[in-house]
Amino acid sequence: MKEKISFLKNKIDLNSPNKNIVPVTTTIESNEKLYIGGCSIEDLVRKYDSPLYILDEITLRNSCRAYKKALEKHYPGVSLPIYASKANSSIFMSNLIASEGFGLDAVSEGELLTALKGGVPSEKIVFHGNNKSDEEIEFALENKIKIIVDNDHDLKRLEKISNSFNYDIEIMIRFTPGIECHTHEYIKTGSFDSKFGFGIEALNKLFVIISKTKHIKLTGLHAHIGSQIFELDPHNDLGKIMVDVILKAKKFGHNIKELNVGGGLGIKYTQEDDPPSIDAWIKTVSLSIVQACKQTKLDLPKLMCEPGRSIVSTAGVTIYKIGSFKEIPGIRTYLSVDGGMSDNPRPITYQSNYSACLVSNPFNNNSKNTFTVAGKHCESGDVLFKEIELGNCKTGDLICVFGTGAYNNSMSSNYNRIPRPASILVCNGEAEIIQRRESPLDLLKYDVLPNRFMK
Ligand code: LLP
């Protein structure tokens, strides 16, 4: 076995899939082919074509169950894990997380609709957003979905609408706790300089304003400090800060019953990544809240958390077919695949790293070929891997990129009018389609030629 694909030989942690690079059901069978969920990847591409998104049901369920189990173990109060659907939103994902007893966080009418259609009970859905439209607010209220108030604009509109109600609406407010953590600049959201939520210094004034409303009841607090976080300290600090804010709110007559600590637990994309386990993360969050409540003699609030990436990322892989090669002697060899920045915008956006292997014969390679894996888009920066050792490969071979379940499909585009890949669910040797492949014709659906141009 070569060092370059050593991750395929890592011991798989079934209880905390975010600590693995590959889905928990990944195997290399005696025919030297890659299998996930008991399905041959080569067979799947033969049937469904490429590029192809694949989700492994067992990895998904193991991740959900790890959160539930850890909450039951470490948090003595009531709790509800909520899936951050921005990570990967579909009717299937909504249905799966609902079947695991999860709630769901949505940030648009589209995500709300997807959650409801997938069967997530409305009382388990929360609605976020720093610039919700009037229609989105109305849609959430009509469906009895809890609104997380992000700013004065939200509050003013809710106040206006609820004035005509003959009942109270319960809200949560989002605030920025001022916690810095070591993650990519773009995915830091808990520091003071953030577009999301109320600044912690603005809360006293806000508590007074809410007290004066007729039908708005402040019952919950929300904070999210960032994404792909490997440290536990920031979430330990967050628990204490949130309990402090409960006490502050109490002085203004608000009885906070729910704390939502956001998401953010990182996953292992490459051998260098070493995220904490789901259990360790929940333990940290729970202990900090339990201890702070004990010290301040507060009843335990209902604890909510909002993982996205650590639920779905490791369950997902993307399969590409190799097309052209271009060798620039002494510099590099480009290997181009049939997808790229439209199905995975993370490398070009955040310089994210992934792990990958060939689908056929991933271990049996004598060559030390290093490639730059490029996408097919008309953009020089459309590069999925700056440097990767894949061994011998040729046009038509398949590459599997791991850890693509989160923020790939959901951030995908049609740049260069490239249709989105299909998504397939695999489980116990069976494969089912969960999102159909787009066709170039689909992409013309919304184009309109004005009448006078048709003459
Ligand atoms: N809750 C809130 C309010 C959030 O804003 C987010 C992520 C989450 C929960 C889920 O965080 P997670 O557990 O997935 O870390 N596009 C970026 C990630 C953006 C995260 C946005 N908010 C990426 O591809 O890395």
Side-chain angles (χ1 to χ4, degrees), residues 70-79 286-287 289-290 300-301 303:
L71 281 166
E72 274 157 28
K73 183 166 147 202
H74 300 296
Y75 195 69
V78 180
S79 59
S286 302
L287 272 183
I289 293 171
V290 170
L300 281 183
L303 173 60

Side-chain angles (χ1 to χ4, degrees), residues 327-339:
E327 191 183 344
I328 308 174
I331 300 188
R332 67 179 71 248
T333 299
Y334 282 99
L335 168 169
S336 293
V337 295
D338 53 355

Side-chain angles (χ1 to χ4, degrees), residues 84 86 105 174 187 224 227 264 306 308-309 346 350 407 411:
K86 70 208 80 186
D105 129 31
R174 176 171 182 170
I187 47 184
H224 169 78
S227 203
E306 278 171 352
R309 191 190 313 266
R346 297 190 71 258
Y350 315 115
Y407 304 113
M411 289 172 64

Side-chain angles (χ1 to χ4, degrees), residues 50-74:
S50 68
L52 191 63
Y53 291 129
I54 297 173
L55 279 181
D56 178 46
E57 184 172 340
I58 294 191
T59 307
L60 282 172
R61 292 200 187 274
N62 282 12
S63 306
C64 292
R65 287 169 196 178
Y67 272 101
K68 288 220 77 150
K69 199 169 142 201
L71 281 166
E72 274 157 28
K73 183 166 147 202
H74 300 296

Side-chain angles (χ1 to χ4, degrees), residues 4 23 41 119 127 175 286 288 292 315 318 366 369 375 386 424 428 433:
K4 60 195 169 194
I41 301 298
F127 182 40
F175 72 98
S286 302
S288 79
T318 308
N366 299 318
N369 287 345
K386 284 210 174 87
I424 304 296
N428 294 330
I433 196 148

Side-chain angles (χ1 to χ4, degrees), residues 149-200:
V149 172
D150 196 273
N151 49 49
D152 295 334
H153 186 45
D154 278 356
L155 191 60
K156 279 188 192 131
R157 288 178 295 167
L158 276 181
E159 187 180 6
K160 199 167 158 206
I161 299 173
S162 63
N163 274 340
S164 63
F165 291 176
N166 55 6
Y167 55 89
D168 291 341
I169 49 170
E170 295 191 348
I171 60 158
M172 299 184 88
I173 53 166
R174 176 171 182 170
F175 72 98
T176 46
I179 291 174
E180 296 282 342
C181 34
H182 303 133
T183 183
H184 193 285
E185 184 72 24
Y186 296 173
I187 47 184
K188 262 193 323 203
T189 51
S191 60
F192 291 121
D193 184 5
S194 165
K195 72 169 180 168
F196 298 106
F198 293 92
I200 198 163

